[in-house]
Amino acid sequence: MVKSWAFEFIPAREGFTKSYDVDDTALRNEKGMAPDEGAAYFEFYLNLWSRAEELGFYGIFQSEHHFGRGYSPSPNLLIAAMSQRTKNLRIGAMGMVVPFNNPWRIVEEIGMLDNLTGGRLEIGTSAGIPHELESAGMSPAEGRERYEEALQIIDAGIRQPIISHSGKYWNFHDLRLVPRPVQQPHPPMWTTVISIESARKAARRGSKITTAFAQNEQIRELFDAYNEEAAKHGHPTGPEQVGLRRQIIIDESELVSTSRSEKLQDELHKMVAKTDKRYVAPGQKAFDAPSGGHGFTIGEDEYISGTPAQVREQVLEQCERTGAGHFLSIFGGCDDLDQLTRSWELYAVEVNPALARA
């Protein structure tokens, strides 16, 4: 079985206001949203996610982004809202940007959310995107330092109710962190990685991993390194521990999906090149970057497009080639909410059953 997830950005795009009745363009702000459209926009997504259970999705991961094209600066708020509309769906953030938060507060929110979801929470953490850190006045180096120290606090806090810590950024003694998570010994942990070194670090923590962008062969290398390191430390290994995230462009017409895919590729490459210093030029091997840092390219395998049958074949092939036991779909290249809804439905009918049988 390959577990099917939806990965959400909630893009801030003017085209996604098409389905609403508000026509007074004079009221629209710089993002193309009229004041009374915001609530309807979130309501659309909450309704879409609520249907995910009947559509055969295993879970939904929210993302956290700031200062840009996404409407999800606080994914835990969305998780709380989703917890009241769903019963079995696994819910999480992939991931919470740890350097922007107090780690002991993250532990408290994890406890609250795991209770609100009835033990359905997945914990995802991220060190953040360099340009977002810099926009907030934090260097990527400081962000990485804060992330590494905060993980020590988070890992301790989800396992025991009273913790102490002495470090560079946080110092406290005998903090009582409540409420406690429902899932024991703790909710599943996830880390987004783009380098083999980061994959090995996650393996040593006992965290699952997810990745994207690179070609399948390179991702298989990353997953193999993760499994090797996890085995050394007595942690679980195999498909259940690793997830593959890809852009899905699906339509009954192959011609339409191809056109949408080409447009998405052009937009995504330009956006990432502009906003993420870790991005390296096409043709370089993924995980190589200038000055010895961690970088990534966006390979052709990132985009899965075609008719429902073609998408199903590609998804199954990529999971087999990489060894992924979780597949995270981003339904990209949609011009409006109606098209987005149709993409979810096509995928649910044609792909989810095959993943459940894989």
Side-chain angles (χ1 to χ4, degrees), residues 24-66:
D24 189 352
T25 55
L27 292 176
R28 296 182 183 277
N29 61 25
E30 69 276 11
K31 290 298 183 182
M33 296 281 272
D36 53 347
E37 286 184 311
Y41 194 53
F42 281 113
E43 184 67 15
F44 164 82
Y45 273 101
L46 287 168
N47 288 334
L48 181 66
W49 301 331
S50 297
R51 290 195 60 223
E53 289 181 330
E54 62 185 271
L55 291 176
F57 286 91
Y58 178 77
I60 295 178
F61 277 118
Q62 300 292 340
S63 61
E64 178 179 339
H65 287 289
H66 303 269

Side-chain angles (χ1 to χ4, degrees), residues 204-353:
R204 290 192 288 271
R205 290 181 58 225
S207 170
K208 300 181 181 185
I209 61 169
T210 185
T211 193
F213 299 134
Q215 295 292 87
N216 291 328
E217 292 78 9
Q218 295 160 338
I219 288 178
R220 183 64 192 233
E221 293 177 10
L222 187 150
F223 286 170
D224 286 345
Y226 169 89
N227 284 321
E228 178 185 44
E229 192 72 17
K232 289 180 182 178
H233 294 268
H235 295 307
T237 63
E240 174 60 23
Q241 305 306 117
V242 295
L244 176 64
R245 193 190 75 200
R246 293 302 196 200
Q247 301 280 341
I248 300 294
I249 308 96
I250 187 170
D251 194 274
E252 293 95 336
S253 166
E254 181 179 358
L255 183 63
V256 170
S257 64
T258 299
S259 175
R260 287 168 51 196
S261 178
E262 291 173 351
K263 179 182 177 182
L264 174 64
Q265 291 183 45
D266 181 63
E267 291 177 349
L268 186 59
H269 280 267
K270 288 179 179 178
M271 181 187 71
V272 173
K274 182 179 180 180
T275 61
D276 199 328
K277 295 180 180 179
R278 299 171 299 177
Y279 180 69
V280 293
Q284 291 182 253
K285 183 178 179 181
F287 314 138
D288 289 344
S291 304
H294 299 320
F296 64 90
T297 59
I298 302 179
E300 294 181 357
D301 290 337
E302 172 66 18
Y303 306 94
I304 296 179
S305 68
T307 64
Q310 291 171 329
V311 168
R312 179 176 64 244
E313 180 180 357
Q314 292 175 69
V315 170
L316 290 171
E317 179 185 7
Q318 290 211 23
C319 289
E320 182 178 0
R321 290 178 63 183
T322 61
H326 300 262
F327 189 84
L328 286 65
S329 300
I330 302 176
F331 293 98
C334 296
D335 296 322
D336 55 61
L337 297 177
D338 296 328
Q339 198 172 69
L340 176 64
T341 300
R342 184 58 180 156
S343 295
W344 274 64
E345 292 173 346
L346 286 173
Y347 189 90
V349 171
E350 299 290 343
V351 183
N352 278 341

